[in-house]
Amino acid sequence: MTPRAPDVPSPARNLVHVMLSPTDTTQRSATISVLVDNESGVLARVIGLFSGRGYNIDSLTVAPVDAGGLHSRINVVTSGTSMVIEQIKAQLDRLVPVHRVADLTMDGPHVARELALVKVIGTGEQRVEAMRIADTFRARVVDTTLGSFVFELTGNVEKIDAFIELMRDLGLAEVSRSGIAALARGTRVI
Amino acid sequence: MSAELTQSGAEILLRALKDQGVEVIFGYPGGAVLPIYDALFNQNAIRHILVRQEGGAVHAAEGYARSTGKVGVVLVTSGPGATNAVTGLVDALMDSIPIVCLTGQVPTHLIGNDAFQEADTTGITRPATKHNYLVKRAEDLARVVHEAFYVARSGRPGPVVIDLPKDIVINPAPYAEPAAQHPSYRPRTEPDLGQIAKAVALMKQAKRPMIYAGGGVINSGPEASAALTKLTRLTGFPITNTLMGLGCYPASDPQFLGMLGMHGTYEANLAMHDCDVLLAVGARFDDRVTGRLNAFSQGSQKIHIDIDGSSINKNVPVEVPIMADAGKALNALLAAWQASDDPVDKPALASWWREIDGWKAKDSLKFTQDMKRGGIIKPQYAIQRLFEITRARGKEVFITTEVGQHQMWAAQHFHFEQPNHWMTSGGLGTMGYGLPAAMGVQIAHPDACVIDIAGEASILMNIQEMGTLAQYRLPVKVFILNNQYMGMVRQWQELLHGSRYSETYSAALPDFVKLADAFHATGMRAQSVDQLDDVINAMLDCPTAVIADIAVDQAENCFPMIPSGAAHNEMLLGPEHEASGAGITDAGLALV
């Protein structure tokens, strides 16, 4: 799953040839992956673009993804009308350190996974029940005391939401979520 | 550092600038850039123009860049030097002007320590530039300089900042030649020929076509203007220009309908409103052009050529997007048009022109000048005479402006036959732009006539640059339309806020004739219409810089006008319309 070498010429971004409608106010969610130079300021540039232009960030992850640490992949989940999403992609695409922009939601099927650490504090029956549900969700216990668990859970966003929801009545104390990592299914790469 | 490194970072910096073809730098020294100034002192290849405030340096570089097509270069110190430059950087960003701005920075080991004259320049300028760099390693210096020039001038041009810590410019650094290509930034310039074919098919079928061309045509170079002119004449289509595009099509041509938008002509705006095929080239459908978006050119199919993909489908959805360099796309359109056997609907085009001629007959830019001795000068008349007299003299003329009514009147009444001769702050609307920009133009074109058409309020925002004019003996002419008001704001107060002129009267104005004198320039004044021509002639004859203070009608408003939130067919044509407050809605009032 190595990204294409950076010296492959960037294909011209596909402009939308379907007609966009400014009156279409339907909001959609988009998972966008961006391959960028791993240099200081690049994350600030991407985040600044979103805040400066009033776009939403629902989730954001970033980490180097190649052996040399030269490139990072940013996965951002955003939402907006089709016109806004197209605008976000075009704005990202013209940033100087950006190599590629892929709209995983539009370009075909993709997998998206998130990791969550969930701390549950409780004793007695509550504690047993939390453990039982964690089993069902295939969550791992990564820390425990006599009065607490830290569960590690990966999966899609809905699964993690559901688990956290169930833990609410069982002593949910703290949650740390990674934001989603995503890849296109099949042979497609960014 | 190896022993062969014999040149300091500052010397390497200048070498890279020289290799990029830099001849002039506009700048202002300070602690963090002392080593660079020391290196400048020891060479003759690059000329340094000392401005009086860093903001002036950026506008001067913009004027230089816009009148030459080259990258403008700025050198300022850390902290306040960099923050003063920010307005100019945003101005260049909005108007797509290629600038490389070198900012000093505290030494790398002090960054983040709140050192003297430290500012987070890359943080502050990130949204103010196309791209910026902080050079932290000597070995990156030369590469970053070359890359900055490439980024500034490629694709949609823009300003690039290079933040240079003092130790980086003091310590030895290696040189590097420009890279063959940039690893990630390679904007597409060639048009998709399938899209070109679609565009031509659409244009051939058009019954009411319209061409709308903007600053992108000028940025693409004179060949793009030539291709646009050829295509327009070949097709017989009417054409309008944005404020930024003026000069990309000859204004004297009968197919030219004048500028469009908020203060555009009646015929340009109505043709935009009623056309059935719209060819937009290097223009970005901004709010001053479109008026109310949901009423903008509703019946047209749109072709949009832009080198910046994010400008396409941003405000107005288009049927045929063409992401390409304007010149290349226009030449492709030209070739495809000539190769196509599809017929043109000539009768429809003729009837469209009859309709347009009907709108032209309204003469929406008309004004009435009292020609009696002592008559008050209408600002439009002052510009009309300036245009006529300079044209009659035949010398090459460059016009810059400040921002406000005078700017719109200049756009309406001064006519441009060629690109790169009109420099105005369009996107950001920066008062104080015109004088330093004129300075930069005059540096690039020492023998040309460079005129800053100004307002008395705007000119005071960068008046200190009169000192630069004196130092370098730059014969820039500052032509002030003095109505003693911040005229455009006063106009909006009159039209939208019940004539409550809150803080728009310029009380205690300086005596501009004496002010000119104090800055070693020549001051002159026209109080009434009979004095106007003499003052213009004296100004143009004067070998020094001039401030010509033209007292104009204080009550004059800039028409035609599409009020904020109104549509192209809801224009106010003149004072007779304004009393009705026609077209101004509460929603419009909330817009800028």
Side-chain angles (χ1 to χ4, degrees):
Chain A
M1 272 302 168
T2 45
R4 260 181 278 173
D7 55 346
V8 176
S10 168
R13 217 179 61 75
N14 292 323
L15 281 171
V16 188
H17 289 263
V18 293
M19 204 50 195
L20 296 166
S21 167
T23 50
D24 180 7
T25 54
T26 319
Q27 300 273 315
R28 77 166 172 99
S29 173
T31 302
I32 297 171
S33 284
V34 193
L35 194 66
V36 299
D37 283 331
N38 183 19
E39 61 183 30
S40 77
V42 68
L43 184 61
R45 221 173 277 286
V46 169
I47 291 174
L49 190 155
F50 276 78
S51 63
R53 293 183 182 267
Y55 307 141
N56 303 314
I57 297 181
D58 299 328
S59 161
L60 180 81
T61 59
V62 55
V65 287
D66 60 349
L70 294 175
H71 302 103
S72 288
R73 183 179 177 121
I74 296 174
N75 300 294
V76 54
V77 181
T78 183
S79 54
T81 64
S82 294
M83 256 180 107
V84 167
I85 304 276
E86 287 310 315
Q87 184 60 207
I88 291 172
K89 281 150 51 180
Q91 291 288 352
L92 286 168
D93 195 58
R94 71 178 189 149
L95 294 179
V96 171
V98 166
H99 290 261
R100 304 235 204 297
V101 179
D103 181 346
L104 296 177
T105 309
M106 281 303 267
D107 293 350
H110 69 282
V111 284
R113 290 292 180 270
E114 186 175 14
L115 182 142
L117 297 174
V118 180
K119 183 175 285 182
V120 177
I121 299 175
T123 52
E125 187 50 36
Q126 261 197 347
R127 184 172 160 80
V128 176
E129 185 61 17
M131 192 65 193
R132 219 176 274 144
I133 291 173
D135 261 354
T136 326
F137 276 77
R138 296 196 195 125
R140 295 199 305 139
V141 176
V142 291
D143 177 74
T144 184
T145 64
L146 291 176
S148 71
F149 287 122
V150 174
F151 295 115
E152 175 200 301
L153 179 69
T154 58
N156 60 33
V157 172
E158 292 74 24
K159 174 180 164 181
I160 290 168
D161 286 346
F163 181 74
I164 291 168
E165 202 47 49
L166 286 170
M167 289 300 123
R168 250 179 238 296
D169 292 337
L170 302 172
L172 178 73
E174 199 175 3
V175 178
S176 180
R177 297 174 71 152
S178 65
I180 68 122
L183 289 177
R185 287 188 185 273
T187 55
R188 273 186 306 124
V189 294
I190 190 171
Chain B
M1 290 294 163
S2 67
E4 307 91 79
L5 295 179
T6 54
Q7 289 191 294
S8 70
E11 287 164 327
I12 291 300
L13 169 71
L14 294 185
R15 183 171 160 196
L17 294 180
K18 219 170 82 188
D19 283 359
Q20 286 293 336
V22 175
E23 293 164 352
V24 184
I25 295 178
F26 300 91
Y28 201 102
V33 287
L34 276 171
I36 304 176
Y37 274 86
D38 203 38
L40 274 170
F41 190 79
N42 289 319
Q43 57 87 51
N44 288 315
I46 298 174
R47 186 176 178 203
H48 180 272
I49 302 297
L50 175 66
V51 300
R52 296 305 185 263
Q53 204 254 23
E54 290 86 351
V58 188
H59 294 319
E62 285 186 275
Y64 179 88
R66 290 176 72 165
S67 65
T68 60
K70 297 183 197 165
V71 177
V73 183
V74 178
L75 171 58
V76 298
T77 195
S78 63
T83 55
N84 276 344
V86 169
T87 299
L89 293 171
V90 181
D91 192 89
L93 183 70
M94 294 284 273
D95 286 347
S96 315
I97 311 303
I99 299 289
V100 168
C101 178
L102 311 162
T103 56
Q105 182 55 277
V106 302
T108 43
H109 70 274
L110 286 179
I111 290 178
N113 280 4
D114 299 327
F116 176 63
Q117 291 196 330
E118 180 185 0
D120 174 9
T121 300
T122 47
I124 290 167
T125 61
R126 198 170 288 124
T129 53
K130 180 172 173 182
H131 195 56
N132 63 17
Y133 301 88
L134 169 62
V135 180
K136 283 181 157 170
R137 302 183 310 174
E139 57 267 39
D140 291 338
L141 177 61
R143 174 186 61 79
V144 163
V145 174
H146 293 310
E147 202 178 297
F149 276 82
Y150 166 78
V151 169
R153 66 172 173 252
S154 306
R156 178 175 174 178
V160 177
V161 160
I162 309 176
D163 204 21
L164 297 163
K166 195 168 183 180
D167 53 329
I168 294 290
V169 288
I170 290 176
N171 293 337
Y175 190 67
E177 300 294 330
Q181 62 174 1
H182 192 273
S184 60
Y185 187 68
R186 273 170 262 163
R188 175 179 184 146
T189 57
E190 295 293 338
D192 178 327
L193 293 180
Q195 293 295 94
I196 293 286
K198 269 197 220 169
V200 167
L202 210 55
M203 286 162 68
K204 288 265 179 171
Q205 291 163 19
K207 294 181 189 308
R208 298 186 309 280
M210 181 68 175
I211 300 175
Y212 148 53
V217 178
I218 291 172
N219 273 336
S220 174
E223 322 75 51
S225 294
L228 175 71
T229 307
K230 216 167 150 191
L231 180 73
T232 307
R233 288 186 177 149
L234 193 64
T235 55
F237 291 179
I239 179 169
T240 181
N241 280 167
T242 65
L243 179 70
M244 295 298 296
L246 293 175
C248 78
Y249 190 83
S252 60
D253 189 282
Q255 283 169 257
F256 185 60
L257 305 190
M259 182 175 75
L260 85 165
M262 186 172 269
H263 295 289
T265 65
Y266 189 65
E267 55 271 26
N269 284 328
L270 282 197
M272 289 294 285
H273 187 263
D274 286 358
C275 66
D276 70 343
V277 170
L278 179 62
L279 170 62
V281 193
R284 58 186 176 88
F285 295 89
D286 102 310
D287 55 88
R288 283 296 183 272
V289 156
T290 61
R292 182 150 51 83
L293 265 180
N294 63 11
F296 172 74
S297 197
Q298 287 291 288
S300 65
Q301 293 197 280
K302 298 172 187 75
I303 304 155
H304 188 183
I305 299 169
D306 206 298
I307 199 159
D308 174 12
S310 73
S311 283
I312 300 179
N313 283 325
K314 181 172 68 182
N315 300 330
V316 174
V318 298
E319 279 77 7
V320 187
I322 300 174
M323 189 173 156
D325 169 71
K328 289 183 176 176
L330 284 164
N331 275 314
L333 276 182
L334 201 56
W337 178 277
Q338 283 165 326
S340 160
D341 296 329
D342 294 355
V344 180
D345 192 342
K346 283 193 174 148
L349 195 56
S351 112
W352 175 229
W353 269 111
R354 277 194 297 279
E355 206 173 337
I356 290 170
D357 289 339
W359 296 326
K360 269 189 179 172
K362 279 253 185 198
D363 193 10
S364 61
L365 299 182
K366 67 172 177 279
F367 57 90
T368 316
Q369 173 63 54
D370 171 10
M371 295 305 294
K372 283 198 300 288
R373 197 176 169 75
I376 298 174
I377 302 168
K378 289 283 182 188
Q380 301 95 319
Y381 182 71
I383 290 173
Q384 184 187 307
R385 287 307 294 154
L386 184 67
F387 170 64
E388 288 165 352
I389 293 171
T390 52
R391 189 178 52 176
R393 286 172 167 242
K395 196 172 169 184
E396 186 173 25
V397 177
F398 292 86
I399 299 291
T400 71
T401 75
E402 311 289 333
V403 169
Q405 284 182 321
H406 67 274
Q407 177 191 28
M408 292 299 115
W409 282 317
Q412 292 172 339
H413 297 276
F414 207 102
H415 307 296
F416 298 91
E417 296 297 304
Q418 17 169 4
N420 305 101
H421 286 67
W422 161 248
M423 270 60 56
T424 193
S425 171
L428 195 64
T430 310
M431 292 170 73
Y433 170 88
L435 175 57
M439 205 161 86
V441 175
Q442 190 82 72
I443 291 285
H445 307 273
D447 299 322
C449 173
V450 184
I451 304 171
D452 171 26
I453 297 178
E456 83 292 337
S458 279
I459 192 65
L460 289 177
M461 286 216 181
N462 269 323
I463 194 71
Q464 77 286 347
E465 298 307 332
M466 289 300 297
T468 312
L469 296 186
Q471 180 174 346
Y472 298 95
R473 301 179 192 280
L474 302 173
V476 166
K477 315 302 181 203
V478 180
F479 190 73
I480 301 176
L481 300 183
N482 187 344
N483 61 5
Q484 301 181 36
Y485 276 98
M486 292 154 217
M488 191 57 93
V489 184
R490 188 203 56 73
Q491 174 169 344
W492 281 51
Q493 289 174 333
E494 181 183 328
L495 297 178
L496 302 162
H497 295 277
S499 298
R500 292 181 294 279
Y501 298 135
S502 178
E503 306 291 332
T504 45
Y505 179 69
S506 303
L509 279 169
D511 177 332
F512 284 107
V513 174
K514 284 187 186 159
L515 188 68
D517 195 40
F519 276 113
H520 317 290
T522 309
M524 40 191 82
R525 180 174 289 132
Q527 305 272 27
S528 59
V529 69
D530 43 288
Q531 299 168 351
L532 181 63
D533 282 13
D534 288 347
V535 166
I536 292 175
N537 279 310
M539 172 180 92
L540 297 174
D541 286 337
C542 185
T544 69
V546 171
I547 297 181
D549 184 15
I550 313 296
V552 298
D553 189 344
Q554 294 192 2
E556 194 66 17
N557 284 335
C558 187
F559 289 112
M561 178 180 183
I562 302 174
S564 274
H568 277 178
N569 59 346
E570 298 168 346
M571 298 188 82
L572 307 182
L573 283 177
E576 63 277 14
H577 266 129
E578 66 185 87
S580 66
I584 300 166
T585 61
D586 286 349
L589 203 62
L591 299 171
V592 285

